Amino acid sequence: MENKDTVQNNRAKTAVFDLVMTAMFSALIAVFSLISIPIGAVPVTLQTLAVCFAAGMLGLKRGIISVVIYILLGAIGLPVFAGMTGGFGVIAGPLGGYIVGFILTAAVVGFSADRWGRRLLPLALSMAVGILLCYAVGTAWFMTVTGRGFAESLMMCVVPFLLPDALKLALAALLVNRLYPVIKIPKG
């Protein structure tokens, strides 16, 4: 009986840990989205840093869950998106594709973290691929909603963010690489 009780107790602890970690990282993404610098149609925020950091630290499953929770909080109207906005209208609007694209970013980064660990080069490469997928979804969405052309959309929504995002990804990869061994998040 002790063995069965121990297994159940460990599962309960893991479930609580998963809940706490995903909630904490969802909150981190929300807080980082509030740091927003408007430079045109799309503001510069620290969301991409937070999404990559969350997925790098938590891995595939918990990383995606934390991003989905963040998006759902915004969808129900909490002001967790850039510029302290919220509501389904933000997701359905021109920039909603970038928010939805965060799920792909978390999937790529989380998969890489689970598969290859938290080594700096695989983390940085997976974050770059994840953000490129986010750009692709977001830009296609932006073009569909606004009716703007490809080149104009890239100039508005991608090109101004390449350097800031590269810096944010480098910082996120470095943070995950340095903090993961210290925090010792169990695989999940």
Side-chain angles (χ1 to χ4, degrees), residues 2 12 26 35 38 46 52 59 63 75 83 93 107 116 137 143 158-159 168:
E2 279 185 355
S26 296
I35 302 167
L46 295 181
C52 289
W116 294 289
V137 170
M143 290 169 51
V158 175
V159 172
K168 290 183 274 184

Side-chain angles (χ1 to χ4, degrees), residues 142-153 156:
F142 183 83
M143 290 169 51
T144 301
V145 172
T146 65
R148 294 181 189 264
F150 181 69
E152 183 181 11
S153 297
M156 289 177 69

Side-chain angles (χ1 to χ4, degrees), residues 45-116:
T45 70
L46 295 181
Q47 287 168 305
T48 50
L49 186 151
V51 167
C52 289
F53 180 65
M57 291 295 286
L58 298 177
L60 179 64
K61 178 182 165 189
R62 290 184 291 215
I64 289 174
I65 291 170
S66 69
V67 171
V68 169
I69 289 170
Y70 161 74
I71 293 170
L72 291 173
L73 290 171
I76 64 170
L78 294 177
V80 297
F81 297 143
M84 291 191 71
T85 59
F88 187 74
V90 175
I91 296 172
L95 305 181
Y98 297 101
I99 295 169
V100 172
F102 290 154
I103 298 169
L104 293 175
T105 302
V108 170
V109 174
F111 174 80
S112 174
D114 286 348
R115 178 75 171 96
W116 294 289

Side-chain angles (χ1 to χ4, degrees), residues 162-185:
L162 292 174
L163 181 59
D165 279 348
L167 295 173
K168 290 183 274 184
L169 300 183
L171 179 58
L174 186 62
L175 286 171
V176 170
N177 177 261
R178 298 291 185 237
L179 293 177
Y180 186 81
V182 174
I183 297 175
K184 299 181 190 207
I185 296 173

